[in-house]
Amino acid sequence: MYDIVTLQAHILQQQARYPDATGTFSWILSAISISAKMIAAQVRRARLEDVLGSAGEQNVQGEQQQKLDVIANEILLRLLGGREGVAIVASEENEEPVILRAQNDGETRYCVLFDPLDGSSNLDICGSVGTIFSILRKDQSSTVAEDSLLQPGLKQVAAGYVLYGSSTVLVLTIGSGVDMFVLDPSIGAFVRVAQGLTIPLRNKCYSLNEGNRLTLPQGYQNYLDWAQRSGYSSRYVGAMVGDVHRIMLQGGVFLYPPTKKAPNGKLRLMYEANPMAMLVEQAGGKALVGPGQRILELQPEGIHQRTCVVLGSSEEVDHVMAHVAG
Ligand code: P6P
């Protein structure tokens, strides 16, 4: 009979490895876990409770906010707001960061950045959607809150995502490997199903929006020609969490290159690319902006800045970069 380890137990097991841990960080992960359960419940009942569709507003990205974007955002703000250890939260849905506890009283506090409902346009067609989160230690020396957020991805202390798919899956790293949990609705708990996830070195599968093909830089078009001549398959669900989760388990490569519409890439560095890059690298994969440029080394200049993304199996990322470098 296998050992049943819930996410809560896993978090406490990890905390026990740090004798001087105060539990502040664990409480933040616990807030994310509860938020994920609440969002999952909303997603599963969206059609029944008529919370699908647009909220009639645009977010800071100029994208149509879905009703559930707003609901998911409010759940995370409320749950994280109740945690003493959270100094600042930043969300895709809020133009400015929310400063919860700015005083530098010597206590270690954290910044939590998130995309509350990534890929929410998939909701209406019952497609995959997800929550992506990134946790940074608050820089106690910074007096301007936003400066504390603008840390490179290498400084993340934790990153993860929740995939609201055929089951609700939470994938988490706190810097020592990647662990996976599945929500068991019968007990209302995330149960650990895998530890130390590693991305297969290779898998002949690429994931990008082929509709952009003709406006991609030539190196990416050359890569696609090569991949299709080499018998690659293509998978793309239109929600980063869904595409990255497939890669975490089966390998392959996900790309969001520069396009005519998004010359700097479309995905947001702070709460999409950085957390996914930490997870992918922790699982033995690669996550690059371009040849030799790790996503995690980028110095952010704004919390909503966008970046190009090529991430996944080590050898598959190499194939892309060999063509991009020309
Ligand atoms: P496109 C969803 O809007 C998102 O931010 C990511 O989750 C997803 O990978 C990407 O944009 C999809 O963008 O341009 O292919 O629709």
Side-chain angles (χ1 to χ4, degrees):
M1 186 65 182
Y2 68 91
D3 183 17
I4 294 180
V5 177
T6 63
L7 173 60
Q8 216 48 50
H10 174 85
I11 291 169
L12 293 176
Q13 283 174 352
Q14 300 306 312
Q15 180 182 324
R17 292 168 50 197
Y18 304 91
D20 55 356
T22 62
T24 303
F25 181 64
S26 298
W27 274 111
I28 295 171
L29 293 177
S30 156
I32 291 172
S33 168
I34 298 168
S35 301
K37 293 178 200 173
M38 292 173 71
I39 295 169
Q42 291 284 341
V43 166
R44 305 294 174 207
R45 292 189 55 78
R47 180 69 68 184
L48 296 168
E49 294 187 8
D50 190 27
V51 287
L52 288 173
S54 164
E57 304 279 331
Q58 282 198 342
N59 63 14
V60 62
Q61 325 287 339
E63 295 165 347
Q64 271 306 317
Q65 261 185 335
Q66 304 297 310
K67 290 174 188 167
L68 267 179
D69 281 324
V70 177
I71 293 169
N73 195 48
E74 285 167 3
I75 288 170
L76 279 157
L77 290 174
R78 201 164 87 230
L79 271 291
L80 290 167
R83 292 295 193 262
E84 184 61 32
V86 180
I88 307 170
V89 292
S91 165
E92 180 196 47
E93 301 302 330
N94 298 98
E95 181 149 13
E96 299 300 330
V98 179
I99 316 303
L100 297 165
R101 299 167 186 86
Q103 76 282 12
N104 291 335
D105 54 8
E107 289 295 315
T108 300
R109 286 201 168 85
Y110 297 89
C111 308
V112 184
L113 302 96
F114 52 82
D115 181 353
L117 208 60
D118 172 63
S120 54
S121 52
N122 275 352
L123 280 166
D124 292 2
I125 48 109
C126 204
S128 295
V129 294
T131 297
I132 311 174
F133 60 90
S134 167
I135 303 179
L136 293 163
R137 201 169 274 109
K138 181 180 183 300
D139 173 0
Q140 301 285 25
S141 64
S142 65
T143 50
V144 177
E146 182 154 5
D147 293 353
S148 195
L149 291 167
L150 298 180
Q151 302 176 47
L154 281 173
K155 295 281 191 180
Q156 293 174 105
V157 293
Y161 60 78
V162 185
L163 172 60
Y164 310 103
S166 51
S167 58
T168 301
V169 181
L170 188 147
V171 174
L172 170 70
T173 181
I174 60 173
S176 48
V178 178
D179 301 310
M180 181 162 76
F181 306 81
V182 173
L183 180 61
D184 180 341
S186 66
I187 59 173
F190 279 103
V191 176
R192 191 172 68 195
V193 295
Q195 284 184 282
L197 274 185
T198 51
I199 299 178
L201 273 178
R202 65 187 70 84
N203 180 22
K204 284 187 166 184
C205 181
Y206 66 80
S207 180
L208 93 163
N209 183 336
E210 300 255 9
N212 296 317
R213 177 174 185 146
L214 297 181
T215 69
L216 296 180
Q218 194 55 49
Y220 288 98
Q221 296 195 40
N222 296 343
Y223 164 74
L224 290 174
D225 292 340
W226 171 84
Q228 288 170 5
R229 285 197 305 273
S230 308
Y232 277 57
S233 62
S234 171
R235 291 284 185 278
Y236 191 70
V237 299
M240 188 183 195
V241 175
D243 286 313
V244 171
H245 188 61
R246 181 187 56 255
I247 285 170
M248 292 295 286
L249 299 185
Q250 299 176 349
V253 60
F254 172 84
L255 310 87
Y256 210 106
T259 65
K260 189 173 178 185
K261 194 176 164 194
N264 296 318
K266 174 185 181 183
L267 301 177
R268 273 60 58 141
L269 173 61
M270 299 303 294
Y271 40 79
E272 289 177 319
N274 269 343
M276 292 308 201
M278 181 178 184
L279 286 160
V280 164
E281 288 199 3
Q282 283 285 321
K286 284 182 181 174
L288 304 181
V289 181
Q293 291 178 290
R294 288 168 72 197
I295 290 172
L296 294 179
E297 291 176 346
L298 284 179
Q299 174 53 51
E301 289 162 14
I303 60 169
H304 298 299
Q305 85 177 59
R306 298 171 187 269
T307 181
C308 302
V309 170
V310 178
L311 58 76
S313 296
S314 178
E315 290 184 14
E316 302 304 341
V317 171
D318 289 350
H319 287 314
V320 176
M321 292 304 158
H323 289 86
V324 172

